Amino acid sequence: MPTLTSTAVTTAPPDAAGRRRELADWRPEDPDFWRTTGAPIARRNLWVSIFAEHVGFSVWSLWSVTVLFLGPEYGIDPAGKFLLTAVPAALGAVLRLPYTLAVARFGGRRWTIVSALLLLVPTVPMTVLLEPGVSYPTLMVLACLTGVGGGNFASSMANINLFYPQRLKGRALGLNAGGGNLGVPAVQLVGLAVLATAGAAYPRLVPAVYLPLIVLAALAAARWLDTVPGARNEPGALRAAARDPHTWIMSVLYIGTFGSFIGFGFAFGQVLQLQFAERFPTPVDAAWLTFLGPLVGSLIRPLGGHLADRLGGARVTFWNFVAMAAGAGTVLYAAREHSFTLYLAGFLALFVFSGVGNGSTYKMIPAIFRARAAEAVSDGRCDPVAAASWARRMTGALIGVAGAVGAFGGVLVNVAFRQSFLTSGTADAAYLAFIGWYALCVAITWVVYRRRGAARLAGV
C-alpha cells in the first residue's frame, strides 16, 4: 500500500449519539500509551476491519460460484464463463491503488462505510436480474461491478496499518489479510448451501445472502471504527516506487502467488466441471470441492510469513515457486491421464503454495528496503533516521503497487484457461503457461535475491 503517515496526538469520547469521533491522540509506538489506551482501540478496529474486508472479498468472488448456476438455458459456453470470472479480477486490481489513497483522503472510518455500501452496487442488481433470459452483456457488467470488493482489501490494509506499532504490524496485517482471503471459500460454501437446498435455478439467492451482511459491515464501521488523525499519503512515494526496479520484480513474483490464488479460486469450479464432466454432472457436485482450495490457501498464508522470518523470504519464495511448478506439472499430467485423485492433489498443492508464497513475498518487501537502507548508512550516503524513513516509505508504496499488479494475475489465469479451452478443448496449454511463469519466477528470485555476489541484498 502507498505509505500513509499519521501525527501523534487522548481519545475523544463518543458523542451524544454514541458515534465515535476522530481520535484526538494516537501514539502506538509509546509503550505506556499502547498498553493503557492504544491496544484495545486497535483490536476493536482490527476485528471490524476483518469482517468488512471478508464481506468485500466474498462479493469479489461471487462469480466463482455464480457461473456454476449458469446452465444450458443461459446459452453461455465455457469461454464466456471464464470471461465472467476474469472481469471482476481486472476491476479489483485497478481499484486497489485509489482505494488505498482514499483512506488518507476521507478517513479510515468514513471510507470503510462507503466502501462497504459500494458492495450493494453489484449485489442488488444481481439479486434482481439473475435468471434465464438475461443478456450476456448484462452479466458481464454485473460481473465487472463485483470488482469493487477487490479494492476493499487495499483500503482495509492501509487503514489497519495506521493503528499498530511497527513491532506488531506483521501479525495485525496478516490477520487482516487472512480474514479477507477467507471470503473466497466462504462465498463458495454459501453457493454450495444454495445449490443443495434451493437448487441451481436460484442463483440470485447467493448475492441476496450478502445484502444484510453488507449493511451490517457498514453499520459496524459506523459504530465501532475510529479514524487516526493526520493520516496523509506520502508525496512522491508512488512515483519513486515506479522508478525502482524492485517494484516490478516483486510485482512479477506476486502475480505468481496472489494472482494464482485469486485466479484459481475464481476458475476452480469451472475447470473441474470441464475436465471431469462425468464426475461432476451437476453444479452441486463440483461445489462440494471448489471451496477447499481457497480455504487451504487462505489458512496457510501466515505460515509463509513465519517460514520467511525463520529461513529468509527469498529462500522460501524460491523453493515455493519450484513447488508451484511441480504442482502445475502434476495437474497437467493428471489431466492427460484423467486421474481425478492426482488432479485434485495437484490443484490443492497449487493453492497451498500460492498461500505460502503470498506470505513470503510480503515479507521480502520490507527486507529489501531495510537492506538497501543499511547499505546506504554503512557507505555514508545517508544518516540512519533518514534511511529508516525512506525504507518505510518505499515499502508501503511497493506493497501497494505489487498488490494491484499481482491481482491482475487473476485475470491472466482465467484468460489462459479460456484461450486453452477455445483452441484445444483442454486446459493443457494453460497449465504449460503456468509452469513457464513459475519457472520465470524461480529464475528471477535466484538471479536477483539468491545468487551469491556483491550485489546480493543481505537478509532478504
Side-chain angles (χ1 to χ4, degrees):
M1 70 209 80
T3 305
L4 301 183
T5 60
S6 62
T7 58
V9 259
T10 353
T11 59
D15 59 19
R19 181 181 61 81
R20 292 192 175 272
R21 300 170 179 166
E22 184 175 283
L23 296 171
D25 179 28
W26 194 246
R27 292 172 281 116
E29 301 295 344
D30 181 332
D32 292 333
F33 176 88
W34 178 254
R35 184 180 64 257
T36 59
T37 303
I41 293 173
R43 281 196 299 270
R44 184 186 66 243
N45 279 268
L46 175 61
W47 295 122
V48 174
S49 176
I50 288 174
F51 174 64
E53 186 195 335
H54 177 90
V55 174
F57 246 95
S58 293
V59 170
W60 192 22
S61 309
L62 269 173
W63 284 85
S64 69
V65 67
T66 302
V67 292
L68 299 179
F69 289 82
L70 304 182
E73 64 273 21
Y74 286 85
I76 305 172
D77 61 11
K81 291 181 181 180
F82 279 119
L83 275 184
L84 289 173
T85 52
V87 289
L91 183 62
V94 169
L95 290 178
R96 283 192 162 196
L97 282 179
Y99 265 55
T100 301
L101 300 174
V103 171
R105 176 65 179 84
F106 301 104
R109 173 180 172 274
R110 184 180 294 117
W111 183 250
T112 303
I113 297 169
V114 171
S115 63
L117 292 176
L118 284 173
L119 299 175
L120 295 171
V121 173
T123 50
V124 170
M126 283 179 68
T127 304
V128 174
L129 298 174
L130 280 180
E131 60 182 12
V134 63
S135 68
Y136 185 72
T138 299
L139 293 178
M140 283 287 286
V141 171
L142 294 176
C144 184
L145 289 175
T146 58
V148 296
N152 286 23
F153 172 84
S155 56
S156 178
M157 295 288 277
N159 186 43
I160 290 303
N161 184 61
L162 296 171
F163 281 91
Y164 280 83
Q166 287 294 328
R167 70 183 189 280
L168 298 177
K169 285 183 188 292
R171 179 177 178 273
L173 293 175
L175 286 170
N176 201 53
N181 288 355
L182 284 170
V184 182
V187 74
Q188 292 169 349
L189 285 171
V190 170
L192 172 61
V194 171
L195 284 167
T197 54
Y202 298 95
R204 62 179 63 187
L205 292 180
V206 181
V209 167
Y210 280 91
L211 297 180
L213 296 178
I214 291 167
V215 174
L216 182 59
L219 291 175
R223 178 63 183 86
W224 287 299
L225 285 190
D226 302 284
T227 293
V228 174
R232 60 186 179 87
N233 297 305
E234 285 278 5
L238 285 176
R239 288 193 299 273
R243 293 192 296 265
D244 194 298
H246 289 280
T247 297
W248 305 109
I249 292 168
M250 292 305 302
S251 294
V252 168
L253 300 184
Y254 202 55
I255 286 173
T257 57
F258 181 76
S260 294
F261 170 80
I262 199 67
F264 293 148
F266 284 7
F268 190 34
Q270 296 181 75
V271 174
L272 280 178
Q273 282 196 293
L274 291 169
Q275 297 269 203
F276 298 92
E278 73 289 348
R279 185 178 285 266
F280 303 104
T282 67
V284 71
D285 295 313
W288 280 106
L289 290 175
T290 53
F291 75 93
L292 284 177
L295 178 63
V296 297
S298 299
L299 293 176
I300 205 73
R301 179 172 181 154
L303 178 62
H306 177 69
L307 289 173
D309 282 339
R310 291 176 58 88
L311 305 174
R315 177 185 295 178
V316 173
T317 299
F318 174 83
W319 289 109
N320 190 73
F321 278 122
V322 172
M324 291 186 74
T330 300
V331 171
L332 173 61
Y333 174 80
R336 289 178 171 176
E337 297 297 315
H338 212 65
S339 170
F340 173 72
T341 301
L342 189 59
Y343 185 88
L344 181 61
F347 235 118
L348 289 178
L350 282 174
F351 276 109
V352 166
F353 291 118
S354 69
V356 171
N358 283 340
S360 66
T361 50
Y362 254 53
K363 285 289 186 178
M364 287 175 66
I365 292 172
I368 289 168
F369 292 111
R370 281 198 303 267
R372 293 169 65 188
E375 288 180 355
V377 171
S378 64
D379 294 344
R381 291 181 281 117
C382 192
D383 68 85
V385 173
S389 175
W390 173 84
R392 287 194 299 269
R393 180 171 176 260
M394 293 296 289
T395 293
L398 195 157
I399 288 175
V401 174
V405 175
F408 273 108
V411 182
L412 298 177
V413 167
N414 283 271
V415 169
F417 277 127
R418 177 183 184 273
Q419 194 60 37
S420 184
F421 279 108
L422 270 178
T423 55
S424 64
T426 72
D428 290 4
Y431 301 136
L432 289 170
F434 302 149
I435 293 170
W437 190 271
Y438 301 145
L440 174 65
C441 291
V442 168
I444 289 173
T445 307
W446 171 261
V447 170
V448 180
Y449 301 114
R450 292 287 297 157
R451 185 176 55 175
R452 296 189 180 279
R456 180 175 173 177
L457 294 172
V460 176

